Amino acid sequence: MSSLFRIEGIAALALALVVAGCDKAADESDRFAPSGPGAPAQRAVALVPAGGELDTTPNPRAEPYYGSAEAVTNGMLIYNQMNCVGCHFNGGGGIGPPLMDDQWIYGGRLDQIYNTIYFGRPNGMPAWGGKLNDEQIWQVAAYVRSMSLPETLARNGTGTPSQHPAPVPRAADENDGWHMPKGTGG
Amino acid sequence: MKTTTVLAVSLAAVIAVAVPVLAAQQALFPLRQSAKPPVPEAVAAADVFTREQIGHALVPPTPEAGRTVAAPAAAPKDDGQWLMPAKNYAATRYTTLAEITPANAKNLHEVFSFSLGVNKGQEAAPLVVGSTMYIVSAFPNHVYALDLTKEGAPLKWSYNPKPLPAAAGVACCDVVNRGAAYADGKIVFNTLDGATIALAADSGKEVWRTQLGDINKGESVTMAPLIAGGKVLVGNSGGEFGVHGWLAALDLGSGKLAWKAYHTGPDDIALIGDQFHPFYASDRGKDLGVKTWPSDAWRTGGGTMWGWIAYDPSTQTIFYGTANPGPWNQQQRPGDNKWTAGMFARDVHTGQAKWFYQFSPHDEHDYDAINEQLLLDMPFDGKMREVVLRPERNGYVYVLDRKTGQVLSADPFGPVNSSRGVDLKTGRLIVNPAKETRLGQVVHDICPTASGAKDWNPSSFSPRTGLVYIPHENLCMDWMNLEVNYISGTPYVGAEVKMKPGPGGHRGELTAWDPVRRKPAWTIREDLPVWSGTVATGGDLVFYGTMDGWFKAIDARNGNLVWKQKLPSGIIGQPISYRGPDGHQYVAVLSGVGGWSGAVVSGPLDPRDGTSALGFVNTMTDLPTRTTAGGTLHVFALPH
């Protein structure tokens, strides 16, 4: 229904590579603005509820971000600077859903998380494509993916969780990082 | 083939490593489903001030000078209906109906119930107009009209406003709605995405729809409108998003904007002019809404209005408060941050300010000042005085002169150590430096917590007992300031908070406050925060609900529990009591846990992260084991 959230696909991706990431304060631009011009891309779409587009085929561009301590550490910085923390807190959720648990609405594989962050999601998740550069989005996706790893959970102690993110092992996404989506009764 | 082998090997390696890790994880971090992190330890009683230490009044009590009543012009004779959430303009939430009493309340039973179809926090008050009941659900804000003349109260009509789905992304504390208001044949309510809609009460047809809020800026609307002087009054939410707070007045007939008063910025947009006569010197001067902020910070300074408005028809004046300044990190906004965290009196027709009083200048603890205000005439200094009574989030019951905004008394009703009372000469809250918030440093055991000694959930007043029934919290918190960037449409908070129980360990209270004697007549302790409203009746009962789903009736005179009923989900709504078409007294309430305090269930959120929901989850870790999400209307009566 909301054209604001139409996935603009390849054109938007191209745009994102041109637009510099905003790592500064006072980004006054419209958070719900479409990510860029162009027709929606044709892609393999799994049947999932709530109109979420889910890539069934893993995106090879995710590979460099597996096993990378740098990715999750930088991702954590971006997560805090971009106010992801204001909506998802340290993984337990608030305005947005928890990210440290084993349930995913839009898929928990690294590249699926990338898509969520890049394109936004209809029920209030802003689109960051064009605002963060591609590498930043992959890194923050890696941090999000790391939150629910047993390795990260075990490093939390009793304090604030997700402060010592473990690198995401490639094997973590073997099962497509996928669990039954929230709200499907599964 | 080769790939498969490699993967198998790495998988095995991971499992091998993961086994001991998993064991450790089981202890500290079991799976979310089985996670039961303990409720934190309570703050010690010695860590908060006593009422005697920090409560002040201009003069000693003079109860012999008269009986406290609702401001007469603001509380007309009860007709048994319920036309606005607060029952009347004086906001007493009191009905004269007296069929149900402490003696017979044990016979109360549910007459009908109705599912709202939404399992989010239900904070609304049902309305009863003639023989129809109207309810607004939490987002997506369905409106239902039920026919009270027929058995089971069948649905007359329903209305779906179709708010933008993305609105859920800018609602700080669950997607609640606090109800509708009725006047002139119209049911008027607000949607989360910032529209105000008037429906024909008989048909449910849209009469007008006015878009006031803009979710792209982080604005939402959760409050119930107040209709007064032919105007529909609506304010924005979004104090956690750096929005520019306002209150707007729409023409009831057309929905057109009549005036809009901003709560930060220059005088001309704050509607501050010739008629403005604040009582205290600190509120006098030009453009204080700009000068009390670092340059331009007022533009993203919050000061929203998502709570309650009272109205005195005898002076055509509205009274309401403004919410917290943004961001929460006070170190990013030195100054008094006017006109946030205070109360305005304004002309209902023009919006022009008459007076202002700031409860929490330069608020450091998220003490929004949007709670209910009761318009009472009460004995003070040997004579009857026209006052505004405000149980304020910062922990004090304030009694202010209705005409001038002067503070007559301010006494703590919950745990307080963030301040040491109110200086009645200057009107200023005396901040406790030990509980001032700091960058990168955790300040422990600040009381009250961010959601206050009480939050939005409204009190009631019975003229029969002279008591104000305040539903509230007993919570404190740890707080650390963090630097935060303003990014439009994302949270602008800059603080990490973890809440905990206040002294005694119980998290909620219902206090029967005697405004004349300035102390509680009695107090009921509740394990969970009391996040529902209260309603008082002519039969000397007070009704309220608990977050684990008990709907309770207590004796208004002594607080004795006379009846309770377990409802399917926790209660955070506003109970009402009305006369049905059959002439009998009914009591109605919504169940459906959620809101800021219940977000751990309505989210659902992960209780392993205490910082979730702005730190509220830290002290609500047990809630998911005690109730589940819901959304149902319940109506009770005596057998007849």
Side-chain angles (χ1 to χ4, degrees):
Chain A
M1 180 216 96
S2 169
S3 62
L4 300 176
F5 287 94
R6 204 181 306 123
I7 291 169
E8 305 290 353
I10 291 150
L13 272 170
L15 189 77
L17 297 171
V18 179
V19 176
C22 67
D23 48 1
K24 286 258 162 39
D27 175 12
E28 304 254 4
S29 64
D30 184 344
R31 73 193 273 266
F32 295 110
S35 307
Q42 294 295 316
R43 42 173 80 208
V45 177
L47 290 174
V48 291
E53 177 168 342
L54 199 71
D55 285 306
T56 45
T57 328
N59 184 340
R61 291 197 304 128
E63 290 305 329
Y65 300 93
Y66 287 110
S68 164
E70 191 196 345
V72 292
T73 312
N74 288 347
M76 185 167 91
L77 285 174
I78 298 164
Y79 184 89
N80 289 314
Q81 278 171 2
M82 290 298 119
N83 300 344
C84 313
V85 67
C87 283
H88 297 281
F89 294 89
N90 294 292
I95 295 167
L99 303 174
M100 65 188 284
D101 65 7
D102 57 354
Q103 297 178 51
W104 296 95
I105 309 172
Y106 299 108
R109 220 174 49 213
L110 187 48
D111 59 321
Q112 292 166 329
I113 297 171
Y114 170 93
N115 282 347
T116 290
I117 299 166
Y118 188 96
F119 295 112
R121 295 297 184 188
N123 301 311
M125 169 65 186
W128 296 86
K131 300 194 170 175
L132 293 171
N133 68 35
D134 223 39
E135 172 155 45
Q136 291 169 316
I137 296 181
W138 280 112
Q139 290 178 336
V140 76
Y143 174 58
V144 168
R145 181 66 189 85
S146 169
M147 284 178 172
S148 56
L149 296 174
E151 297 86 333
T152 301
L153 292 171
R155 289 182 189 184
N156 284 334
T158 50
T160 304
S162 312
Q163 301 308 293
H164 308 284
V168 182
R170 181 65 190 83
D173 279 354
E174 277 319 299
N175 184 27
D176 267 356
W178 179 248
H179 300 265
M180 285 304 283
K182 285 168 187 163
T184 55
Chain B
M1 181 61 203
K2 201 177 163 195
T3 327
T4 318
T5 322
V6 173
L7 284 178
V9 169
S10 65
L11 244 174
V14 167
I15 290 166
V17 180
V19 168
V21 176
L22 265 169
Q25 174 213 349
Q26 231 108 54
L28 291 174
F29 285 87
L31 290 178
R32 169 160 140 211
Q33 290 83 336
S34 51
K36 284 184 195 132
V39 176
E41 263 184 48
V43 168
D47 285 348
V48 302
F49 300 120
T50 63
R51 209 175 56 253
E52 291 72 20
Q53 281 174 315
I54 60 172
H56 298 294
L58 290 174
V59 293
T62 52
E64 64 287 350
R67 281 177 63 93
T68 309
V69 292
K77 198 172 163 336
D78 193 353
D79 60 6
Q81 304 185 92
W82 204 277
L83 306 182
M84 61 185 94
K87 170 70 178 177
N88 52 44
Y89 289 140
T92 58
R93 295 173 186 262
Y94 171 78
T95 173
T96 56
L97 298 177
E99 182 183 354
I100 310 169
T101 65
N104 64 22
K106 61 177 183 296
N107 300 322
L108 280 169
H109 70 282
E110 189 166 280
V111 203
F112 65 89
S113 62
F114 179 82
S115 171
L116 305 177
V118 178
N119 287 349
K120 291 290 180 181
Q122 309 291 348
E123 290 188 350
L127 299 183
V128 174
V129 184
S131 54
T132 309
M133 177 179 285
Y134 301 91
I135 314 142
V136 187
S137 77
F139 177 83
N141 308 128
H142 294 289
V143 184
Y144 302 104
L146 306 180
D147 184 350
L148 299 176
T149 62
K150 303 211 176 81
E151 188 181 15
L155 192 61
K156 245 167 113 168
W157 54 256
S158 67
Y159 174 85
N160 176 3
K162 304 195 188 82
L164 295 171
V170 292
C172 79
C173 313
D174 197 8
V175 290
V176 299
N177 183 290
R178 304 193 179 86
Y182 171 88
D184 223 4
K186 299 182 193 72
I187 294 288
V188 187
F189 73 105
N190 300 311
T191 60
L192 190 67
D193 67 345
T196 302
I197 299 174
L199 303 175
D202 52 2
S203 65
K205 295 258 155 26
E206 196 173 296
V207 182
W208 50 258
R209 178 180 186 128
T210 302
Q211 189 68 36
L212 282 170
D214 177 0
I215 60 168
N216 292 313
K217 295 186 198 155
E219 287 178 324
S220 55
V221 179
T222 56
M223 71 180 287
L226 182 85
I227 306 175
K231 305 277 188 299
V232 177
L233 300 161
V234 178
N236 60 349
S237 305
E240 282 60 53
F241 282 77
V243 307
H244 190 190
W246 45 258
L247 180 77
L250 304 177
D251 177 74
L252 174 60
S254 66
K256 291 211 167 60
L257 185 69
W259 52 261
K260 190 170 186 181
Y262 286 91
H263 299 146
T264 68
D267 288 352
D268 58 339
I269 65 166
L271 304 189
I272 286 174
D274 299 346
Q275 297 172 42
F276 187 54
H277 303 294
F279 191 84
Y280 299 103
S282 53
D283 296 314
R284 296 184 209 132
K286 195 166 165 36
D287 292 333
L288 296 183
V290 174
K291 290 176 186 159
T292 58
W293 294 86
S295 63
D296 271 359
W298 59 270
R299 294 179 191 276
T300 52
T304 56
M305 168 51 201
W306 50 273
W308 302 108
I309 309 169
Y311 175 58
D312 187 346
S314 70
T315 56
Q316 317 267 296
T317 307
I318 55 167
F319 303 87
Y320 72 94
T322 55
N324 62 290
W328 283 19
N329 178 353
Q330 52 98 4
Q331 287 160 298
Q332 290 183 219
R333 48 173 173 79
D336 271 0
N337 308 138
K338 292 192 193 302
W339 307 95
T340 66
M343 187 186 285
F344 272 113
R346 291 184 185 273
D347 182 309
V348 73
H349 303 294
T350 62
Q352 284 293 319
K354 294 186 174 178
W355 55 255
F356 175 82
Y357 171 72
Q358 197 166 26
F359 298 106
S360 301
H362 184 71
D363 162 55
E364 301 191 13
H365 305 109
D366 187 39
Y367 296 154
D368 302 50
I370 57 68
N371 287 355
E372 73 281 10
Q373 43 272 303
L374 288 73
L375 306 187
L376 304 177
D377 290 1
M378 67 171 238
F380 186 82
D381 199 9
K383 49 184 187 292
M384 294 300 284
R385 189 92 173 233
E386 297 187 355
V387 305
V388 185
L389 182 141
R390 158 61 75 85
E392 171 60 14
R393 189 140 143 177
N394 68 10
Y396 299 83
V397 176
Y398 287 80
V399 176
L400 301 142
D401 183 291
R402 203 146 77 229
K403 293 239 161 59
T404 64
Q406 181 185 17
V407 180
L408 306 182
S409 65
D411 297 281
F413 65 99
V416 175
N417 63 20
S418 58
S419 63
R420 302 169 172 275
V422 178
D423 178 341
L424 295 185
K425 284 206 186 64
T426 59
R428 202 174 174 90
L429 186 74
I430 306 160
V431 168
N432 177 3
K435 302 297 175 183
E436 290 200 74
T437 60
R438 287 152 221 253
L439 189 67
Q441 198 183 322
V442 180
V443 179
H444 291 273
D445 300 348
I446 304 171
C447 311
T449 186
S451 57
K454 86 178 281 300
D455 202 282
W456 69 277
N457 47 316
S459 315
S460 55
F461 165 78
S462 166
R464 292 171 54 86
T465 61
L467 301 175
V468 181
Y469 301 96
I470 308 175
H472 65 106
E473 309 178 77
N474 179 43
L475 296 175
C476 302
M477 63 179 168
D478 297 345
W479 177 304
M480 174 169 66
N481 282 341
L482 299 166
E483 216 166 293
V484 62
N485 299 321
Y486 177 78
I487 305 173
S488 172
T490 70
Y492 188 48
V493 172
E496 188 172 290
V497 175
K498 288 179 185 165
M499 299 195 191
K500 51 173 75 170
H506 57 291
R507 286 163 282 180
E509 285 180 358
L510 192 152
T511 295
W513 182 264
D514 183 334
V516 179
R517 291 176 183 80
R518 300 172 35 227
K519 60 182 187 194
W522 43 263
T523 297
I524 296 173
R525 293 180 167 197
E526 287 287 353
D527 180 29
L528 296 166
V530 185
W531 205 262
S532 85
T534 64
V535 62
T537 74
D540 287 341
L541 290 169
V542 173
F543 291 87
Y544 73 102
T546 67
M547 289 188 70
D548 56 353
W550 286 104
F551 188 44
K552 297 183 175 178
I554 53 171
D555 187 321
R557 302 207 168 264
N558 52 29
N560 287 346
L561 180 70
V562 295
W563 172 80
K564 65 174 182 174
Q565 170 82 44
K566 186 81 187 252
L567 302 185
S569 174
I571 301 162
I572 59 163
Q574 305 161 53
I576 67 157
S577 182
Y578 64 95
R579 186 190 296 119
D582 59 2
H584 287 288
Q585 183 182 3
Y586 291 82
V587 180
V589 72
L590 305 183
S591 70
V593 84
W596 187 5
S597 56
V600 65
V601 170
S602 63
L605 309 182
D606 194 319
R608 293 173 298 178
D609 178 7
T611 67
S612 294
L614 298 156
F616 221 131
V617 165
N618 200 55
T619 195
M620 302 302 289
T621 47
D622 57 338
L623 195 64
T625 67
R626 299 173 62 168
T627 189
T628 55
T632 309
L633 162 78
H634 309 266
V635 178
F636 303 91
L638 296 173
H640 53 251

